[in-house]
Amino acid sequence: MLELEHISKIYHMGDNVLYALNNVCVRVEPGDFVAIMGPSGSGKSTLMNILGLLDNPSSGLYRIDGQDVSKLNENYLAILRRNKLGFIFQQFNLLPRLTALENVALPHFYSAQGEDSSIGRNLLARVGLANRMDHKPNELSGGQQQRVAIARALINAPSVIFADEPTGNLDSKSAAEIMALLEDLNNQGITIVMVTHEESIGARAKRRIRMRDGKVVADDRLKPLNSGVGIPPRESLSSRGIFAMLFGFLKQAVLTLSSNRIRTGLSTLGILIGVAAVIVMMAIGSGARRQIQEQLASMGSNLLILRPGATRLAGVVQESSATRLTLDDASSLQEKISSIYAVSPTVSGRAQITFGNKNWNTQITGTTPTYTSMRAAKPARGRFFSQTENQSRAMLAVIGLTVARELFGEANPLGENIKINKLNFQVIGVLPEKGAQGPRDQDDIIIVPVQTAMRRLFGKDYVDSIEIQIRSGADLNQASDEILQYMSGRRRIPLAQAQEPFRIFNMAELQSAISSTSQTMSTLLAGIAAISLLVGGIGIMNIMLVSVTERTREIGLRKAVGARPFDILVQFIIESIVLTLVGGLMGILVGWLLTLLVARTAGWTTVIDPLAIAMAFFFSVSIGMIFGIYPARRASRLNPIEALRHE
Ligand code: ADP
């Protein structure tokens, strides 16, 4: 039983107050067939929408089976609509993407019955559409569409059907058929409330209510209410389980998105580019970092370089012979300071090299055999010189790859004689490849015994620097303090003059500085990529907002057939997640291919981190969630009747 007591519905139009309904009291008995009639604007639809729980009254009391509906929340109202009420609209309101059968089954989507299509088939057969099950609405006539809508209204076996001008858009033959159907349903015990402005249609009801200016002006019984008939009370339909619902939404999302290919494609493109950019940038960033680390490792670890500094003599800061380093310094350091593992006195300078008619200018480094272990420079081919050969000032050279290529091309350099500053040297080894570090090509170098370099090539009795390898585990800073102290003591430099007589370069510090720079670079790259991901997400939000606006009527209809706000929310969020997920997966693929391409064409080291892929995946899904929430909330909060009226 439906009871309206003193119901008013007010609209404020500027300063005017418009009474769509003005103090209406109506009671509808079970099994009745009520026609609401009256001129346009008299409040017929407003009355019916309030009765059908699609609209709220401004004041008054409405009870369904004794229950005050103003006390019920949105979810419960949705469940009431789903369990007890069915709707038939003048514009049919079928969803264009779904077949007749799927449209009929739509209310089931929200109840626990799931996808059992036999009820829908039976109903379609009952309204005479057994051979039109799989037709889309645009393949059906108006009368057929309205019959689909009636079958949809019947699917949850409602006790009341609301019909708003059900024959308004139909020719007279179809109208007669629809009326016959409604009468038939009423005879089976279903209560019918119908709005119409056609006298001939209204005359077929059992009771006729006439309205004018929001008031009931006449209420006539046309036929007796046979109270004996009534549908048996039925267990109410519970809502669908969460997993079945998610799966159903997923199917729907795929259907909706694939019916709008261009838009779907464009919006996933945004995410695709974002994700691919993140993957490529991170691959390049970590590749660069790995390369730098490898180069740093090849420079040797635990390395200090001792160089002469400047002393202040007679108030003038200058380099002096007092601070020059000698071979003796190197050996006594090694002897006296326990944390030193190895030393390698080094001289360097540039020299002109010739071999046959080839000329080359390169860096010459004179050093000792310990260089091989300290600088990770064990010859790739041939051998290094020995300590004895160093002491005997042997004319031997170990050459870098660049020098080998320039002088010998593809030929084997081992055993050949080259001239360094016009002196004959024999090539005994080729250094391993080190690559470029900054602008300097580390392979453009020739290593000769330090004694040979000092006495024979550069004509000096001191060395330029002493490279010192500290025992692993020892403190580099402490060791360098010790070395400086020892050297000052050895030279007897008075403290007053001891402003930087020697300097120590700490390779570890240099290494960590370079590492942190490269870290900053790759963070920066990832940041730029993340911004493009963000832009993609905003694109998704934009598309979802458009989609909500466009499908406002669909949302209204879904609510009318029993969707709770939560159902609508989840539907739109899932759609948005599917969008970003598809974009994300394609982005991962494209990013991976691009990375391979970059590695091959530009020859850069790239590292695809599984973590980067997982992150890209995770981000694209969360972007779908986050940017889908706003449009989805907007959709879920729409008032059913306003949504249904949306043009
Ligand atoms: P009927 O169905 O009899 O044609 P309605 O119930 O649709 O009449 O409308 C009753 C009155 O309420 C009309 O004057 C109409 O203009 C007004 N009205 C209905 N809906 C709204 C609305 N959303 N905003 C403002 N006025 C409305």
Side-chain angles (χ1 to χ4, degrees):
M1 170 134 61
L2 314 176
E3 295 166 281
L4 293 182
E5 283 174 24
H6 308 290
I7 291 285
S8 294
K9 178 75 181 178
I10 301 170
Y11 290 108
H12 295 274
M13 313 292 282
D15 290 340
N16 297 339
V17 176
L18 190 146
Y19 277 85
L21 288 180
N22 193 348
N23 199 19
V24 170
C25 298
V26 168
R27 174 184 286 222
V28 178
E29 308 287 342
D32 209 349
F33 187 161
V34 184
I36 304 174
M37 304 200 59
S40 180
S42 58
K44 305 184 293 291
S45 304
T46 307
L47 178 62
M48 202 198 75
N49 292 333
I50 288 176
L51 282 170
L53 300 175
L54 296 178
D55 206 355
N56 307 313
S58 309
S59 63
L61 183 67
Y62 177 27
R63 281 195 292 258
I64 293 187
D65 293 339
Q67 197 165 25
D68 179 359
V69 300
S70 67
K71 301 260 177 357
L72 305 176
N73 68 18
E74 268 287 328
N75 286 335
Y76 201 88
L77 289 178
I79 292 168
L80 259 184
R81 284 195 288 266
R82 183 200 304 161
N83 287 336
K84 299 209 170 185
L85 316 180
F87 294 91
I88 302 166
F89 304 94
Q90 184 176 358
Q91 286 92 352
F92 323 133
N93 282 335
L94 301 178
L95 295 188
R97 290 183 305 277
L98 306 184
T99 64
L101 183 60
E102 288 165 340
N103 265 295
V104 170
L106 186 68
H108 266 182
F109 186 79
Y110 299 103
S111 57
Q113 264 132 328
E115 321 266 299
D116 178 8
S117 64
S118 62
I119 308 176
R121 284 177 196 281
N122 289 342
L123 282 171
L124 274 175
R126 193 164 143 199
V127 297
L129 290 175
N131 53 355
R132 292 284 188 279
M133 307 260 184
D134 298 322
H135 287 234
K136 297 263 171 77
N138 60 3
E139 298 158 356
L140 298 171
S141 73
Q144 287 170 331
Q145 289 188 53
Q146 194 61 302
R147 281 189 270 164
V148 173
I150 291 176
R152 180 180 63 195
L154 289 173
I155 191 134
N156 281 335
S159 28
V160 189
I161 283 186
F162 294 96
D164 191 354
E165 303 270 12
T167 58
N169 278 4
L170 301 178
D171 58 87
S172 53
K173 181 166 167 283
S174 304
E177 286 169 8
I178 295 297
M179 283 312 294
L181 258 173
L182 290 178
E183 281 170 339
D184 187 33
L185 292 173
N186 180 238
N187 287 335
Q188 290 166 38
I190 297 178
T191 311
I192 294 184
V193 177
M194 175 181 73
V195 165
T196 182
H197 62 268
E198 288 176 61
E199 289 295 337
S200 62
I201 298 286
R204 294 174 73 161
K206 289 179 176 161
R207 177 182 169 195
R208 186 175 57 204
I209 293 175
R210 287 195 190 274
M211 301 199 61
R212 184 176 299 269
D213 298 332
K215 288 187 170 159
V216 174
V217 291
D219 191 345
D220 308 305
R221 175 139 310 277
L222 308 178
K223 292 172 196 159
L225 176 64
N226 35 350
S227 53
V229 193
I231 42 173
R234 184 176 45 80
E235 267 179 61
S236 67
L237 307 170
S238 52
S239 294
R240 224 169 158 196
I242 187 85
F243 285 112
M245 204 172 80
L246 286 181
F247 183 71
F249 279 136
L250 205 62
K251 251 171 68 181
Q252 269 192 13
V254 171
L255 198 78
T256 312
L257 294 173
S258 57
S259 71
N260 217 331
R261 293 223 176 81
I262 293 184
R263 183 193 291 177
T264 305
L266 286 178
S267 39
T268 44
L269 192 65
I271 294 293
L272 189 155
I273 292 173
V275 168
V278 168
I279 289 187
V280 174
M281 300 276 195
M282 283 181 74
I284 291 176
S286 14
R289 219 165 56 233
R290 175 178 293 182
Q291 202 175 15
I292 288 173
Q293 270 158 2
E294 275 167 9
Q295 280 179 0
L296 289 175
S298 77
M299 279 164 58
S301 52
N302 288 359
L303 215 57
L304 299 177
I305 299 178
L306 176 66
R307 287 183 198 281
T311 44
R312 201 182 326 165
L313 288 177
V316 184
V317 177
Q318 53 181 259
E319 208 172 300
S320 77
S321 56
T323 62
R324 278 180 182 158
L325 297 167
T326 64
L327 292 175
D328 280 350
D329 290 334
S331 45
S332 61
L333 272 172
Q334 165 106 61
E335 239 169 70
K336 293 281 161 34
I337 295 181
S338 60
S339 56
I340 293 180
Y341 175 72
V343 293
S344 165
T346 305
V347 188
S348 59
R350 296 197 73 83
Q352 195 68 25
I353 323 296
T354 50
F355 173 71
N357 57 358
K358 300 252 178 60
N359 271 288
W360 189 244
N361 188 289
T362 189
Q363 181 187 329
I364 309 291
T365 295
T367 184
T368 57
T370 43
Y371 183 88
T372 51
S373 60
M374 284 170 64
R375 289 298 192 104
K378 197 171 170 299
R381 281 190 285 166
R383 63 180 186 90
F384 215 77
F385 47 82
S386 67
Q387 188 56 25
T388 331
E389 283 165 334
N390 177 31
Q391 264 146 12
S392 66
R393 300 175 195 175
M395 305 298 274
L396 300 174
V398 183
I399 64 179
L401 269 180
T402 304
V403 177
R405 204 172 42 240
E406 292 297 333
L407 296 184
F408 300 97
E410 296 299 311
N412 181 9
L414 295 183
E416 298 289 353
N417 282 309
I418 55 173
K419 282 188 162 41
I420 303 179
N421 281 356
K422 304 217 170 78
L423 296 172
N424 265 324
F425 279 78
Q426 190 189 23
V427 177
I428 57 167
V430 179
L431 290 167
E433 184 169 7
K434 299 245 163 165
Q437 189 190 344
R440 231 193 84 205
D441 176 4
Q442 300 231 94
D443 296 319
D444 190 5
I445 191 168
I446 294 181
I447 310 283
V448 298
V450 65
Q451 304 256 26
T452 316
M454 285 165 65
R455 322 281 176 192
R456 301 205 171 178
L457 274 178
F458 302 126
K460 47 187 177 184
D461 54 2
Y462 56 91
V463 296
D464 298 328
S465 62
I466 300 175
E467 300 191 357
I468 301 168
Q469 189 177 11
I470 303 301
R471 279 181 207 287
S472 64
D475 186 330
L476 280 179
N477 290 326
Q478 200 183 327
S480 66
D481 285 348
E482 245 177 282
I483 292 166
L484 286 177
Q485 220 163 11
Y486 174 76
M487 286 305 295
S488 299
R490 194 172 148 82
R491 286 290 192 284
R492 298 198 184 77
I493 294 173
L495 272 180
Q497 291 176 10
Q499 189 199 26
E500 285 218 318
F502 301 99
R503 278 181 292 176
I504 286 193
F505 295 87
N506 186 335
M507 294 300 263
E509 272 170 20
L510 184 69
Q511 287 178 6
S512 72
I514 294 175
S515 297
S516 79
T517 312
S518 72
Q519 176 75 52
T520 313
M521 278 301 295
S522 50
T523 311
L524 198 70
L525 285 179
I528 293 170
I531 288 174
S532 70
L533 206 56
L534 189 74
V535 172
I538 293 172
I540 295 274
M541 174 146 77
N542 198 2
I543 290 296
M544 292 312 294
L545 279 173
V546 170
S547 172
V548 166
T549 314
E550 221 180 50
R551 288 153 67 195
T552 306
R553 279 174 72 107
E554 173 188 329
I555 295 163
L557 177 81
R558 285 177 181 275
K559 289 196 152 183
V561 302
R564 294 164 298 173
F566 174 73
D567 297 321
I568 303 290
L569 184 79
V570 174
Q571 178 189 348
F572 276 86
I573 289 183
I574 286 191
E575 238 172 71
S576 151
I577 290 180
V578 167
L579 266 184
T580 48
L581 196 63
V582 170
L585 289 177
M586 294 201 303
I588 288 174
L589 187 71
V590 170
W592 182 64
L593 290 176
L594 274 180
T595 306
L596 291 185
L597 194 74
V598 165
R600 285 192 69 154
T601 53
W604 294 352
T605 309
T606 54
V607 179
I608 296 189
D609 192 348
L611 187 74
I613 290 186
M615 258 166 58
F617 185 80
F618 173 76
F619 271 127
S620 56
V621 173
S622 9
I623 276 182
M625 279 252 239
I626 292 164
F627 288 98
I629 281 176
Y630 174 62
R633 272 175 74 94
R634 246 175 76 148
S636 71
R637 286 177 172 182
L638 287 172
N639 172 332
I641 194 61
E642 274 166 23
L644 273 170
R645 286 213 188 110
H646 186 87
E647 291 303 328

